Amino acid sequence: MKEITKILFVEDVMSDAELIWKEIERDKIVFEKVLVENEHDYISAISRLKPDLIISDYSLPQFDGFSALTIKNRISPWTPFILVTGSVNEETAVEIMKAGADDYIIKDNMSRLGAAIRSAISRKDALRIKEAALDALR
């Protein structure tokens, strides 16, 4: 992992965002954060920040995690995406994973967030390297 990981957060409740940040800090991940809560700011932040990772809530007043994932897949497919939410059932979680999320974490139990971040970034880096090697072979 890089020395400083750029993370884009999609969250509308500041206290939830702060809990997530504390959990990441507890796992000794050094990160730069940008917080957005609507689609316009999200798209702008992806372009401007070029994040190493996106962490999104599922339910926001005017936006949702599934839409965030769909947009990410279209404009930044190599960026890992983790859903951190308090309001997702198993069916929705499976749907999110099938759509390309790297992981999902329930807000009531964020103990594996650090491991999920490291794993998601490592997997995407490995896929990026593999794709570059295949391109070189072609």
Side-chain angles (χ1 to χ4, degrees), residues 1-6 29-30 50-52 121 125 128:
M1 238 165 80
K2 294 179 176 180
E3 278 188 38
I4 298 177
T5 303
K6 295 183 292 186
I29 296 171
V30 180
K50 305 219 181 315
D52 298 311
I121 290 174
D125 286 347
R128 204 174 292 137

Side-chain angles (χ1 to χ4, degrees), residues 81-84 96-97 101-105 112 115-116 119-120 123:
F81 185 97
I82 297 175
L83 188 73
V84 176
I96 289 280
M97 295 300 287
D102 293 274
D103 209 335
Y104 74 95
I105 306 289
R112 55 180 209 88
S119 177
R123 273 195 314 271

Side-chain angles (χ1 to χ4, degrees), residues 20-50:
I20 294 167
W21 299 338
K22 284 180 184 172
E23 186 63 35
I24 295 170
E25 288 167 351
R26 186 183 342 244
D27 282 307
K28 298 187 179 13
I29 296 171
V30 180
F31 64 102
E32 172 187 335
K33 59 185 173 274
V34 171
L35 178 65
V36 299
E37 60 181 69
N38 63 59
E39 183 175 355
H40 177 268
D41 292 345
Y42 176 69
I43 292 169
S44 175
I46 290 175
S47 300
R48 187 182 73 255
L49 179 67
K50 305 219 181 315

Side-chain angles (χ1 to χ4, degrees), residues 47-112:
S47 300
R48 187 182 73 255
L49 179 67
K50 305 219 181 315
D52 298 311
L53 174 72
I54 297 169
I55 295 180
S56 178
D57 189 4
Y58 184 75
S59 299
L60 294 99
Q62 299 173 7
F63 194 44
D64 65 76
F66 196 83
S67 297
L69 176 60
T70 302
I71 291 166
K72 188 271 320 171
N73 287 344
R74 188 179 72 243
I75 63 176
S76 187
W78 292 109
T79 304
F81 185 97
I82 297 175
L83 188 73
V84 176
T85 186
S87 60
V88 69
N89 59 37
E90 282 184 36
E91 215 171 271
T92 304
V94 168
E95 188 177 320
I96 289 280
M97 295 300 287
K98 284 182 178 179
D102 293 274
D103 209 335
Y104 74 95
I105 306 289
I106 302 300
K107 285 181 181 176
D108 290 340
N109 184 16
M110 289 194 291
S111 61
R112 55 180 209 88

